[in-house]
Amino acid sequence: MIEVENLTKEYRDRKRGAILAADSVSFHCGPGEIVGILGPNGAGKTTTLRMISTAIPPSSGSARVMGLDVVKDATEVRKRIGFLSASTGLYGRLTPRETLRYFGNLFGMAHSAIADRTEQLAGLFGMNDFLDRPCDKLSTGMKQKVNIARTVLHDPPVMVFDEPTSGLDVLTGRTIVGFIRSCRDGGKTVLFSTHIMSEVEKLCDRVAIIHRGRIYFQGTVAELRETAGGDLEDAFVRMIGEAGE
């Protein structure tokens, strides 16, 4: 469902010259699978996810979603993907209901389908109490629930989540983790970036560790522990340290 091959993004800086935010990144993620993308801040995780989601074009290499090229078939890819960025914002004057209606129209959904899906997601994420409140009056957790509902409104087969639980309280985080697990159980393809190792252990079938734009490890959580030793956090830190050297 997601096939990434030698995906590279280069930026130019007047002082530093060429900067490779992603350097020949390759991996795949299949139906009914959650693949975790791990790495320290600035490692290239978000850049990679944005290229896959068609938000930014790659400098070289390729990425395909359900067989569609993210550059040549960008419009078709967007119809099949739900992308939640760590920095996604909301229109403060719109209510969650109005926000979902707006994005449903962008996806070409029928009005009845938007209404039905809104009620379904409001119940799933516990949004009924603030569904008609302006978004700029909502808490961080409430806003993130709206963002995720917006991301999955059109029920895409491929999900890309960039740090979806960052800064959230425990209850909201558990709700979102449970939803991500249900996506896998429903046969969807899920690409998932996080810094929270407990979420990695709960959710990920496989992980890929990115550092300085390059992938240094791919495998299961058990294989990461076996390769680097220690618990998952220790193994991750040790792997990043070896990559840095």
Side-chain angles (χ1 to χ4, degrees):
M1 297 289 273
I2 298 177
E3 300 170 295
V4 177
E5 186 173 353
N6 295 321
L7 201 62
T8 299
K9 184 63 178 181
E10 180 180 300
Y11 293 102
R12 304 293 300 183
D13 183 89
R14 289 184 179 181
K15 295 182 179 180
R16 300 165 60 190
I19 299 172
L20 287 174
D23 185 4
S24 301
V25 172
S26 298
F27 64 87
H28 70 278
C29 183
E33 184 178 35
I34 299 177
V35 172
I37 305 296
L38 311 181
N41 290 334
K45 303 185 303 297
T46 295
T47 297
T48 299
L49 297 183
R50 286 177 176 172
M51 287 190 284
I52 294 170
S53 69
T54 77
I56 58 174
S59 301
S60 62
S62 65
R64 303 181 74 83
V65 175
M66 300 184 68
L68 299 167
D69 186 275
V70 298
V71 175
K72 298 176 182 178
D73 308 305
T75 300
E76 292 302 315
V77 169
R78 292 181 194 124
K79 294 178 182 178
R80 293 162 173 81
I81 198 170
F83 176 56
L84 178 70
S85 169
S87 58
T88 302
L90 293 169
Y91 298 98
R93 295 183 179 180
L94 295 183
T95 66
R97 190 188 303 276
E98 291 168 339
T99 298
L100 295 181
R101 184 184 304 131
Y102 173 78
F103 280 95
N105 289 330
L106 289 180
F107 287 126
M109 298 172 64
H111 293 308
S112 59
I114 296 172
D116 290 344
R117 184 68 169 156
T118 296
E119 294 306 315
Q120 179 187 8
L121 293 172
L124 180 63
F125 294 127
M127 295 167 47
N128 285 308
D129 289 343
F130 57 87
L131 198 56
D132 296 299
R133 195 185 308 173
C135 286
D136 61 3
K137 303 296 183 182
L138 304 182
S139 68
T140 300
M142 291 174 179
K143 289 178 181 178
Q144 190 69 333
K145 288 180 178 181
V146 177
N147 269 324
I148 292 182
R150 172 196 60 76
T151 299
V152 304
L153 181 68
H154 56 309
D155 197 22
V158 178
M159 307 286 197
V160 179
F161 297 110
D162 188 6
E163 299 186 30
T165 63
S166 178
L168 300 184
D169 63 82
V170 173
L171 293 178
T172 304
R174 285 174 64 91
T175 298
I176 293 171
V177 166
F179 173 74
I180 293 173
R181 185 184 292 113
S182 72
C183 289
R184 176 185 59 194
D185 295 343
K188 296 183 184 296
T189 300
V190 181
L191 203 55
F192 174 62
S193 168
T194 183
H195 285 104
I196 304 173
M197 292 299 149
S198 62
E199 293 179 356
V200 175
E201 292 190 288
K202 290 177 182 177
L203 292 174
C204 295
D205 299 295
R206 291 185 295 111
V207 296
I209 293 180
I210 297 182
H211 184 48
R212 295 179 180 174
R214 303 190 68 181
I215 288 186
Y216 284 87
F217 174 86
Q218 291 192 64
T220 65
V221 171
E223 288 169 341
L224 175 57
R225 287 201 198 96
E226 183 179 345
T227 299
D231 62 21
L232 184 58
E233 183 174 317
D234 289 340
F236 170 74
V237 172
R238 189 171 293 112
M239 185 69 66
I240 292 298
E242 293 174 357
E245 293 173 0

